[in-house]
Amino acid sequence: MKLITLAGPPSSGKTSVLLRIIEALREAGRTAGVVKFDCMATFDDRLYEEKGIPVLVGLSGNLCPDHYFVTNIASCLEWGSSVGADMLITESAGLCNRCSPYIRQVQSVCVIDHLSGLNTPAKIGPMLKLADTVILTKGDIVSQAEREVFRYRVRKANPKAEIIPMNGLTGQGKERARDVFLAAPEVEGLDGSKLRFSMPAAVCSYCLGETRIGEDAQMGNVRKLWTPGEES
């Protein structure tokens, strides 16, 4: 089975893009299943179900969405096989821009939209910088000059990725994105596979449910921005 991990900031157009790509995959005679990872709630599964696309939803709740992804992705691959899909696509909001739910030797795609701001490519970490392919959305809403500057900054952040402009509403660009998905390597299993980048170090008292504010309540991996007595 082919496995594609797709991530991007919230509201960047990931679901609209995926629906169009899967439409193109069907035209090529291929079937895809989707695993939607989110934090508290999602209604995107209804959109997939309306199109007859097998979908599995994972809500991380009070856990980091990308940590939740990593601990579940192997079983999700088995689920994809159980529904008879040729390809499994995972969709993650990547709520922490420092995180990267990308796996070595697995096709990785980042979706980022022009409306997020010209400085956004510099603010997104491994989620953008380590992607194999970057899909740019909502380019029809900004000027040509803004599109060129945005693309330049994406290229500066990730010099090696293929950049594909795509319109999730009209489907423009879906054929090229489909070809990228079709070229993804086959994945037999994920036991022993490794992430492309480590997750953030975030084991502290607040990770374990602490709600009190103050040094007496803080322990673990804690870093201070400034303490009294230090020079500004």
Side-chain angles (χ1 to χ4, degrees), residues 19 22 48 56 63 73 76 79 85 91 121 136 145 151 182 191 195 230-232:
L19 286 169
I22 293 173
Y48 292 116
L56 183 66
L63 300 177
I73 185 58
C76 288
W79 172 82
E91 178 189 346
L136 304 183
R151 185 186 181 98
L182 289 174
D191 285 348
L195 293 171
E230 290 185 349
E231 294 183 2
S232 300

Side-chain angles (χ1 to χ4, degrees), residues 46-68:
R46 299 176 185 175
L47 300 176
Y48 292 116
E49 290 171 350
E50 288 173 0
K51 298 293 184 180
I53 301 167
V55 59
L56 183 66
V57 172
L59 300 178
S60 62
N62 62 346
L63 300 177
C64 165
D66 287 330
H67 285 74
Y68 183 66

Side-chain angles (χ1 to χ4, degrees), residues 112 116-124 149-150 153:
I112 182 173
S116 61
L118 293 176
N119 293 323
T120 297
K123 298 178 181 180
I124 298 180
V149 172
F150 194 82
R153 295 187 178 180

Side-chain angles (χ1 to χ4, degrees), residues 14 50-51 54 65 67 70 97 145 172 182 184 190 198 210 215 227:
K14 297 183 296 298
E50 288 173 0
K51 298 293 184 180
H67 285 74
V70 174
N97 287 334
Q172 182 179 5
L182 289 174
L190 292 173
S198 63
E210 180 62 76
E215 291 190 7
T227 55

Side-chain angles (χ1 to χ4, degrees), residues 17 28 30 52 58 63 87 95 100 142 151 157 160 163 172 182 220:
V17 160
R30 306 298 293 271
L63 300 177
M87 181 181 303
L95 297 179
S100 169
V142 300
R151 185 186 181 98
K160 297 181 179 180
I163 299 176
Q172 182 179 5
L182 289 174

Side-chain angles (χ1 to χ4, degrees), residues 136-196:
L136 304 183
T137 61
K138 305 179 186 178
D140 57 319
I141 304 177
V142 300
S143 67
Q144 176 66 27
E146 289 176 296
R147 288 196 296 271
E148 291 179 2
V149 172
F150 194 82
R151 185 186 181 98
Y152 168 77
R153 295 187 178 180
V154 168
R155 174 60 66 210
K156 188 175 181 180
N158 188 334
K160 297 181 179 180
E162 177 175 1
I163 299 176
I164 303 176
M166 188 170 167
N167 188 315
L169 297 179
T170 66
Q172 182 179 5
K174 68 177 183 179
E175 289 82 7
R176 180 55 201 143
R178 173 202 61 197
D179 292 344
V180 167
F181 280 41
L182 289 174
E186 296 285 335
V187 177
E188 298 298 330
L190 292 173
D191 285 348
S193 298
K194 292 186 177 182
L195 293 171
R196 298 190 182 190

Side-chain angles (χ1 to χ4, degrees), residues 205-206 210-220 222 224:
S205 49
Y206 297 110
E210 180 62 76
T211 58
R212 294 173 297 160
I213 296 174
E215 291 190 7
D216 291 343
Q218 297 171 357
M219 63 180 66
V222 178
K224 296 295 185 180

